[in-house]
Amino acid sequence: MFIDSHCHLNFPGLAEDLDNIFANMRANHVSQALCVSVDLATFPQVLKLAERHDNLYASVGVHPDYELEVEPNQEELVRLAQHPKVIAIGETGLDYFRLTGDLSWQRERFRTHIRAARECGKPLIIHTRSAAQDTLRIMAEEDAGRIGGVLHCFTENLEVAKAAIELGFYISFSGILTFKNATIIKEVAQSIPLEKILIETDSPYLAPAPHRGKTNQPAFVMHVAEEIARLRNIALDEVGEVTSQNFKRLFLKHS
Ligand SMILES: [Zn+2]
Ligand SMILES: [Zn+2]
């Protein structure tokens, strides 16, 4: 059994095709998936998926790539997170790759999410791109380790992974791990404890090999698990079992 710890099933390309997507999950032993919010306007769609399907969960948060007129506040995030199917806060974090200029609003928004997570007791889903040092610094300053969470779609080096684990966080690998040129990420997947690893698709984006370039879907998380098994020279079953236990330890311990 495998769990997709990060997908966007409400996005175009997936939302119209849910019956096939669920059938493919069953056929590939992907038992559960976490549907991650990117803004508050589409949060109801994400929540509806989790309410309608036993094996889907939701998160609430606003992605760092979304420039908004009105910033989400801590109170609202905490209120929306009260729903029993909302198991995480995010995705949140920093992205200095997609956006440039004065990004102090991004850092403030990230701090708001960490404070909300600590207040409501639900772990963080953190997105970080070209911003590892600021991400780690703000995590430490806001005592994010007190609630924990995951650095999702990990694309940084071993040093950053170790620092995040030190703060009490998990590392989640996406389909990028299966790409031939992902040497540094493969090294991370080989070196950190299996007990700190989650797997994800980030679908509809980033389809793993051998589906690269196609619309991604939760069933393909199996290929991420296969690559971890290959890199660590362990059985695929073990990767499935341990990463599923990790998911449950992180996200379902309170429910
Ligand atoms: Zn992300
Ligand atoms: Zn995402």
Side-chain angles (χ1 to χ4, degrees):
M1 288 292 194
F2 306 97
I3 299 178
D4 183 356
S5 72
H6 190 119
C7 63
H8 301 284
L9 289 187
N10 61 313
F11 281 23
L14 296 175
E16 323 79 71
D17 200 24
L18 290 177
D19 287 347
N20 278 321
I21 281 159
F22 294 145
N24 292 342
M25 282 173 71
R26 284 191 293 273
N28 288 281
H29 309 286
V30 178
S31 58
Q32 296 168 72
L34 172 47
C35 301
V36 176
S37 283
V38 295
D39 65 11
L40 297 187
T42 56
F43 170 69
Q45 301 171 4
V46 175
L47 187 60
K48 198 177 287 176
L49 283 165
E51 282 176 333
R52 286 190 182 162
H53 305 279
D54 275 354
N55 62 338
L56 299 182
Y57 298 94
S59 74
V60 63
V62 183
H63 193 289
D65 287 350
Y66 288 61
E67 292 186 79
L68 300 173
E69 282 161 34
V70 183
E71 281 294 320
N73 64 53
Q74 185 178 336
E75 250 181 278
E76 190 174 19
L77 290 168
V78 169
R79 182 178 60 80
L80 295 171
Q82 296 313 306
H83 192 288
K85 275 312 239 349
V86 174
I87 60 170
I89 300 293
E91 58 186 288
T92 181
L94 302 176
D95 192 330
Y96 297 170
F97 182 82
R98 291 278 296 276
L99 297 175
T100 50
D102 179 8
L103 297 179
S104 46
W105 59 269
Q106 231 183 38
R107 291 184 285 276
E108 272 315 301
R109 186 188 291 175
F110 184 28
R111 289 180 191 277
T112 299
H113 281 75
I114 298 173
R115 290 169 192 167
R118 284 185 43 191
E119 188 185 336
C120 70
K122 299 196 180 183
L124 287 152
I125 299 170
I126 296 180
H127 169 112
T128 181
R129 198 158 175 214
S130 305
Q133 293 318 314
D134 276 6
T135 301
L136 290 170
R137 178 176 57 79
I138 291 173
M139 285 164 70
E141 285 173 4
E142 297 292 337
D143 205 3
R146 201 129 47 103
I147 187 63
V150 58
L151 254 58
H152 107 91
C153 194
F154 193 78
T155 53
E156 302 294 334
N157 61 27
L158 185 56
E159 204 184 327
V160 173
K162 283 181 174 167
I165 291 169
E166 189 75 18
L167 285 170
F169 277 70
Y170 290 76
I171 302 296
S172 179
F173 296 102
S174 68
I176 292 176
L177 184 67
T178 67
F179 299 171
K180 272 209 181 77
N181 57 359
T183 323
I184 292 169
I185 308 170
K186 288 181 200 284
E187 188 201 334
V188 178
Q190 249 163 353
S191 312
I192 62 173
L194 189 57
E195 287 66 32
K196 291 293 171 186
I197 295 179
L198 299 182
I199 53 175
E200 67 169 88
T201 59
D202 208 6
S203 48
Y205 310 116
L206 297 169
H211 305 287
R212 200 171 171 175
K214 291 190 201 148
T215 301
N216 202 359
Q217 55 176 292
F220 294 169
V221 81
M222 207 251 293
H223 299 295
V224 180
E226 278 172 349
E227 183 63 9
I228 294 171
R230 191 187 71 79
L231 288 165
R232 300 177 74 103
N233 198 21
I234 56 176
L236 179 60
D237 280 356
E238 187 182 348
V239 176
E241 191 170 314
V242 176
T243 56
S244 297
Q245 283 168 8
N246 297 345
F247 179 92
K248 290 173 186 168
R249 193 185 316 119
L250 175 61
F251 291 119
L252 305 180
K253 58 179 184 250
H254 302 298
S255 38

